[in-house]
Amino acid sequence: KKVVLIKIHHLSTAFDIAKKISFQKGKRYTRFIVNLSIAATAISVAAIILTLSVVNGFQESISDKVYQFWGHIRIATVDGSPIDTAIQFDSDLTQHIESITPLKNQSGVIAYQQDIEGVVVKGVPISSNIPFIIQGRAIQANKDSNQYEVILSAQLANKLKVPLDSSIRLYFLNTDKVEQRKMKVVGLYNSGIEEYDRQFIIVDLNTLQKINRNNPGFDAFTVRLKKGVSIDALNDQFQNKIPKSWVATPIRDYFPQIFDWINVQTVNKNVTIVILLIIAIVNLLTCLFILMLERVNMIGTLTSMGATHAFIRQIFLYQASFICSIGIGIGLIIGIGLSYAQLYLEFIQLDESAYFMKTLPIQMNWVEIVWVVIGTSFISYISFLLPTIWIKKIAPAQAIKFD
């Protein structure tokens, strides 16, 4: 007789069984639940990545606007008296410093034709970098000592209908005497922060010092740090180096309302992430329960053949992990893809008066994205253990008859 050899492919592990049943065509409603769970997981992961990118972008963009306008640290006298001496630091501090700029502020009134407006005049050296200029140029040294230059905000220029290169009059109160100066508008800036744009104009520091002949000093030094340097650590070092009558203060202490609003976004971000994770896990648990119900017959058969509860539990944990992994992968592609699209195309526009910027800011932190993948996978796996406890309650005889 001819002997026919039949090659038998046995399913030796829980992983093999899970892989086989996961990619088989099951009942229509089961496929719908699986696809829904994958979609829910993908949407949750994508939404978490977008939430992190947007909130990080908001916090970085707004704080950077404040730091560009005022620096990271302000050094002033304790009693508010003017400073008339230079400041120097050792190399261990200067290596972290981008610039140190003297600053002087003074209240004034700007007049153009029949319109007037109260302003705060910010005096900075000509050599300093003036941010946010959108039209015109920065202030330059002029040989004519009677020719003064000024930079207005675009908001103030629009309000008073002041065109670029026109002349305005600026009035100061100096020891019970009103001083006035004719100034040429050489530039317009737009920081996007209405509080600044509404009231600050920028002039040469020497101009304010000449006007204040009885008080020719300046108010403070603004220190701009290099990127990545700890503000609090450097502030403490500055405090140890400066005279006892001076004080170094992080700029966020001067504008707590802005930085408090920035910090609130962290709370909102964390709450949103928790809600999205709960939604994803509930959908995955529902899917796993339905998959187990559909395979009750298989559970009874495997149990009657001697399979342990731990072995059967592994099958469904693997199957749920397949679904979770597919959802996380799709969510990563969607979340990162949309983040890059907004970063380069800027298709989502914002009301600058409300959000301090014209477009939705994006800043992706790859460490956070990695933790999103790890955290979602870990929490999902731990949650999958709960429904698999139900396997112990299934009687093999009744399970085989179950349909």
Side-chain angles (χ1 to χ4, degrees):
K1 293 183 179 179
K2 186 178 180 181
V3 178
V4 180
L5 298 178
I6 302 175
K7 188 177 181 180
I8 302 175
H9 296 273
H10 62 282
L11 300 174
S12 56
T13 65
F15 181 83
D16 293 329
I17 298 174
K19 184 169 63 174
K20 186 174 181 64
I21 64 177
S22 295
F23 298 103
Q24 280 182 341
K25 290 186 177 180
K27 297 179 181 179
R28 183 175 298 176
Y29 72 88
T30 305
R31 290 202 306 271
F32 173 76
I33 293 298
V34 170
N35 292 334
L36 183 63
S37 297
I38 291 174
T41 305
I43 292 172
S44 296
V45 171
I48 291 173
I49 292 174
L50 287 170
T51 299
L52 290 172
S53 299
V54 170
V55 173
N56 290 342
F58 264 116
Q59 293 176 325
E60 180 68 19
S61 298
I62 296 173
S63 59
D64 188 58
K65 282 176 179 284
V66 178
Y67 293 143
Q68 284 189 63
F69 202 86
W70 294 112
H72 296 85
I73 296 172
R74 180 178 294 183
I75 299 174
T77 57
V78 175
D79 58 1
S81 58
I83 299 174
D84 55 7
T85 59
I87 187 170
Q88 292 182 343
F89 294 108
D90 299 332
S91 59
D92 59 335
L93 283 179
T94 55
Q95 63 179 335
H96 304 297
I97 299 173
E98 184 177 311
S99 65
I100 300 179
T101 306
L103 168 72
K104 186 178 183 65
N105 290 336
Q106 183 169 343
S107 299
V109 174
I110 181 176
Y112 180 73
Q113 295 180 350
Q114 303 300 319
D115 297 321
I116 61 172
E117 185 75 19
V119 294
V120 177
V121 184
K122 179 183 178 183
V124 295
I126 293 176
S127 58
S128 62
N129 179 34
I130 300 176
F132 311 121
I133 294 180
I134 58 173
Q135 283 184 265
R137 57 172 175 82
I139 299 171
Q140 297 177 352
N142 200 314
K143 294 181 180 179
D144 186 357
S145 60
N146 294 321
Q147 179 66 46
Y148 301 102
E149 297 182 343
V150 62
I151 297 176
L152 304 182
S153 69
Q155 176 180 335
L156 189 59
N158 291 334
K159 182 177 181 180
L160 299 179
K161 297 180 175 56
V162 181
L164 194 65
D165 295 326
S166 61
S167 295
I168 63 168
R169 291 200 172 274
L170 197 56
Y171 296 89
F172 304 92
L173 182 61
N174 185 17
T175 58
D176 299 328
K177 180 181 177 182
V178 176
E179 298 267 0
Q180 72 165 337
R181 293 291 185 277
K182 184 179 180 181
M183 294 191 171
K184 181 181 179 181
V185 180
V186 296
L188 301 178
Y189 79 90
N190 179 39
S191 70
I193 302 179
E194 186 178 4
E195 180 182 348
Y196 299 166
D197 295 347
R198 186 178 63 248
Q199 58 180 330
F200 284 96
I201 66 173
I202 302 172
V203 302
D204 178 18
L205 177 62
N206 289 330
T207 300
L208 287 185
Q209 290 177 323
K210 289 178 181 178
I211 293 172
N212 290 270
R213 290 180 292 273
N214 298 329
N215 184 15
F218 43 89
D219 298 339
F221 290 102
T222 60
V223 182
R224 186 174 298 175
L225 305 178
K226 293 181 179 178
K227 194 170 184 179
V229 178
S230 171
I231 297 176
D232 292 327
L234 262 294
N235 188 81
D236 293 338
Q237 293 184 49
F238 282 134
Q239 189 61 57
N240 294 330
K241 298 289 185 179
I242 59 180
K244 298 298 182 182
S245 59
W246 294 8
V247 60
T249 308
I251 205 67
R252 62 173 175 268
D253 292 348
Y254 284 91
F255 305 99
Q257 67 279 9
I258 294 179
F259 286 92
D260 286 345
W261 183 82
I262 292 174
N263 293 330
V264 167
Q265 306 312 308
T266 301
V267 177
N268 296 338
K269 175 181 68 177
N270 294 336
V271 171
T272 303
I273 290 173
V274 170
I275 293 173
L276 292 170
L277 281 175
I278 291 174
I279 293 172
I281 291 170
V282 168
N283 277 278
L284 288 169
L285 291 179
T286 303
C287 176
L288 185 55
F289 267 120
I290 293 174
L291 292 175
M292 290 171 61
L293 284 172
E294 187 187 36
R295 296 291 177 174
V296 167
N297 201 300
M298 184 193 77
I299 294 172
T301 302
L302 291 174
T303 304
S304 64
M305 293 173 64
T308 62
H309 293 307
F311 180 83
I312 299 173
R313 184 185 299 116
Q314 283 184 355
I315 294 174
F316 289 101
L317 287 176
Y318 280 129
Q319 190 175 13
S321 298
F322 291 152
I323 297 170
C324 182
S325 300
I326 294 172
I328 291 175
I330 296 174
L332 276 174
I333 294 172
I334 296 174
I336 295 175
L338 289 176
S339 296
Y340 270 116
Q342 173 61 24
L343 183 64
Y344 291 106
L345 301 178
E346 298 182 342
F347 56 90
I348 299 180
Q349 302 293 315
L350 300 176
D351 180 4
E352 190 174 19
S353 63
Y355 296 100
F356 306 146
M357 58 199 69
K358 294 181 179 179
T359 61
L360 186 69
I362 294 291
Q363 182 180 357
M364 286 184 289
N365 187 321
W366 292 105
V367 174
E368 289 183 342
I369 292 175
V370 171
W371 276 112
V372 168
V373 175
I374 295 174
T376 304
S377 302
F378 177 77
I379 295 173
S380 299
Y381 184 81
I382 296 300
S383 303
F384 292 155
L385 296 175
L386 181 62
T388 57
I389 297 174
W390 176 67
I391 294 174
K392 294 181 179 181
K393 300 180 180 181
I394 299 177
Q398 296 178 349
I400 294 173
K401 298 177 183 180
F402 182 83
D403 189 3

